[in-house]
Amino acid sequence: AMRINNNNNNNNTLWVHAPLAPTPEFFNLVQSIGGKVGHVVVPTYALEHKIYVKDALAQWPDAQLWLAPGADFSFPFRNMGDNFLWGRRASGVLGTKNTVPPSWSNEIDY
């Protein structure tokens, strides 16, 4: 299942949760919704929900990366850095006191 919300209140950006395989069909489908992808969110569970994030961020280099608490990989290695896992540093970890809430926090509960 694809989890994408069109967020019209904050600069008409899209919010992509757990991106799918980086196929032309997936990227075309996202683009067909309209708007620019502004946020990619990584969930905490299931490897298959995390493995395509780096590819999605390469496709949408201006998107902010948001991690759910514990979203780092626990298999096959622990404590790998953001640059290795995602290709860049995360914008923040959702719901933690050291992270400024994302611009969409008043529209999408997390």
Side-chain angles (χ1 to χ4, degrees), residues 16 18-22 26-27 37 40 51-63 86 88:
V16 178
L20 299 177
F26 170 68
F27 291 127
V37 174
V40 174
I51 58 175
Y52 301 123
V53 171
K54 196 172 190 178
D55 297 301
L57 292 170
Q59 177 73 21
W60 304 307
D62 296 330
W86 319 117
R88 69 168 85 163

Side-chain angles (χ1 to χ4, degrees), residues 16-71:
V16 178
H17 178 262
L20 299 177
T23 63
E25 293 83 6
F26 170 68
F27 291 127
N28 288 337
L29 182 60
V30 173
Q31 294 309 120
S32 74
I33 294 171
K36 178 180 176 182
V37 174
H39 308 276
V40 174
V41 180
V42 181
T44 60
Y45 57 90
L47 180 63
E48 64 269 17
H49 295 296
K50 302 174 189 177
I51 58 175
Y52 301 123
V53 171
K54 196 172 190 178
D55 297 301
L57 292 170
Q59 177 73 21
W60 304 307
D62 296 330
Q64 291 185 331
L65 171 62
W66 299 97
L67 306 176

